[in-house]
Amino acid sequence: MSEIDQYAVFGSPIKHSKSPRIHQLFAEQTQQVMQYTALLVPADKFDLELKGFFAKGGRGLNCTVPLKELAWESAEIRTERAELAKAVNTLLVQKDGRILGDNTDGIGLVTDLQDNHGIELKQKRVLILGAGGASRGIILPILEESPASITIANRTVEKALTLADEFSHKGSVVGSSYADLAGQNFDLILNATSASLSDELPPLASGILAEQGSCYDLAYANKPTAFVRWAREQQASKSLDGLGMLVEQAAEAFYLWRNVRPDTAPVIQMLEAERNS
Ligand code: ATR
């Protein structure tokens, strides 16, 4: 492999990934000499590609859909947040040669909420929509900010109850159906369903967002998602999507790899400007 430190993102599809752009901007800003490429890797090729990448001297890897669970299995050791997330989005070679798996999605979300948007989690009643991989990845980092409670609502209610159970030793986490949310209200609603990808909306009753409450869609798109549009109708104090989370999870991976923390604000600004143009 070349002299330049090599990084990559594996996924399928991967063509529209913003990660190469984000990491290139981080590298320029922090004057790190490195190369970051996107590679189309389907699930059945993952093991082979992963071994090849690190055998050739690759330094660090991001994994996205549908590879995060496979990356979790491949990691020789895992951080606690990755362990509980059962998904890994960042791999790196440690000094002892072992491959460490981490999950920077949740911390990326928390940083975007708190540092970029001033939405504090402490003592807040948080509602997470969805009980799939995206939800699992954010629960521990949110609990670490001491919210009053986390409620997980899901169409298939059993999945919400099981997921809540897995985290209940870490804080107040309960599972719910959508119907049972009626009559309650929440300071922050996070959409971690994949509904946004097909411009659909989970079945949300009006009135579940507290006054001055905010909404955040973990997905992002060039146009406001169905959930962001719903949040605006509810007059949420802030109605945000996941572009900032995307940049912040990348920054956390970059920090793990290079031990340098990039300034995310100009990168978020640039991506925001591009999608509005
Ligand atoms: P991911 O890894 O992106 O979380 P996933 O594990 O397939 O993907 O989970 C998708 C989540 O979105 C699930 O919680 C799913 O609800 P079900 O478990 O009931 O299927 C949720 N979801 C997808 N489309 C939805 C929709 N139109 N309305 C509500 N929830 C939806």
Side-chain angles (χ1 to χ4, degrees), residues 34-35 37 57 61 73 81 101 105 119 132 159 188:
M34 57 185 277
Q35 201 164 30
T37 46
L61 198 60
E73 283 169 24
R81 62 194 183 195
D105 287 332
I119 301 172
K159 277 169 71 181
L188 176 63

Side-chain angles (χ1 to χ4, degrees), residues 186-253:
F186 300 91
D187 305 301
L188 176 63
I189 305 181
L190 303 169
N191 182 24
T193 70
S194 50
S196 296
L197 304 178
S198 43
D199 207 34
E200 287 171 23
L201 188 67
L204 298 170
S206 288
I208 59 169
L209 182 67
E211 226 169 283
Q212 298 304 313
S214 290
C215 293
Y216 192 107
D217 197 335
L218 272 62
Y220 63 88
N222 283 339
K223 297 226 163 69
T225 64
F227 178 70
V228 166
R229 299 197 302 273
W230 176 85
R232 289 176 182 167
E233 280 163 24
Q234 304 302 305
Q235 293 172 338
S237 167
K238 297 202 166 147
S239 309
L240 303 164
D241 77 5
L243 190 70
M245 174 180 172
L246 175 77
V247 176
E248 293 297 347
Q249 65 76 29
E252 201 64 33

Side-chain angles (χ1 to χ4, degrees), residues 10 26 47 58 80 97 162 187 227 229 252 258 268 272:
F10 287 2
F26 287 165
D47 268 346
E80 189 192 17
T162 308
D187 305 301
F227 178 70
R229 299 197 302 273
E252 201 64 33
R258 310 296 303 182
I268 295 174
E272 285 285 6

Side-chain angles (χ1 to χ4, degrees), residues 256-272:
L256 285 168
W257 293 333
R258 310 296 303 182
N259 209 21
V260 181
R261 213 168 259 292
D263 181 7
T264 50
V267 177
I268 295 174
Q269 252 173 34
M270 193 175 292
L271 295 182
E272 285 285 6

Side-chain angles (χ1 to χ4, degrees), residues 23-215:
H23 282 283
Q24 185 201 340
L25 290 167
F26 287 165
E28 283 167 11
Q29 185 199 89
T30 58
Q31 295 171 339
Q32 297 289 301
V33 181
M34 57 185 277
Q35 201 164 30
Y36 184 108
T37 46
L39 276 174
L40 179 70
V41 177
D44 60 350
K45 296 271 166 26
F46 178 69
D47 268 346
L48 198 70
E49 293 286 346
L50 177 89
K51 288 196 180 91
F53 178 78
F54 284 117
K56 279 190 263 165
R59 298 285 296 270
L61 198 60
N62 283 139
C63 296
T64 185
V65 178
L67 306 174
K68 291 184 188 183
E69 286 78 16
L70 290 175
W72 184 88
E73 283 169 24
S74 300
E76 289 168 281
I77 44 170
R78 304 177 198 109
T79 60
E80 189 192 17
R81 62 194 183 195
E83 188 65 30
L84 286 175
K86 291 196 178 150
V88 156
N89 75 337
T90 304
L91 292 159
L92 59 139
V93 187
Q94 292 199 137
K95 285 205 180 84
D96 64 7
R98 287 188 300 173
I99 294 178
L100 171 76
D102 196 1
N103 189 318
T104 65
D105 287 332
I107 192 67
L109 169 68
V110 168
T111 304
D112 195 39
L113 284 168
Q114 298 198 145
D115 298 358
N116 299 341
H117 297 290
I119 301 172
E120 295 299 324
L121 292 162
K122 196 173 166 61
Q123 289 308 315
K124 295 288 167 58
R125 293 158 303 169
V126 179
L127 171 62
I128 298 176
L129 311 176
S135 305
R136 180 185 286 284
I138 60 173
I139 297 173
L140 186 63
I142 293 174
L143 281 174
E144 284 172 347
E145 300 303 314
S146 308
S149 61
I150 294 182
T151 302
I152 303 167
N154 200 44
R155 234 172 14 184
T156 319
V157 67
E158 293 75 26
K159 277 169 71 181
L161 298 175
T162 308
L163 188 57
D165 228 37
E166 275 181 57
F167 286 88
S168 57
H169 65 293
K170 292 280 180 187
S172 167
V173 189
V174 294
S176 172
S177 65
Y178 283 105
D180 285 343
L181 298 177
Q184 304 181 53
N185 67 22
F186 300 91
D187 305 301
L188 176 63
I189 305 181
L190 303 169
N191 182 24
T193 70
S194 50
S196 296
L197 304 178
S198 43
D199 207 34
E200 287 171 23
L201 188 67
L204 298 170
S206 288
I208 59 169
L209 182 67
E211 226 169 283
Q212 298 304 313
S214 290
C215 293

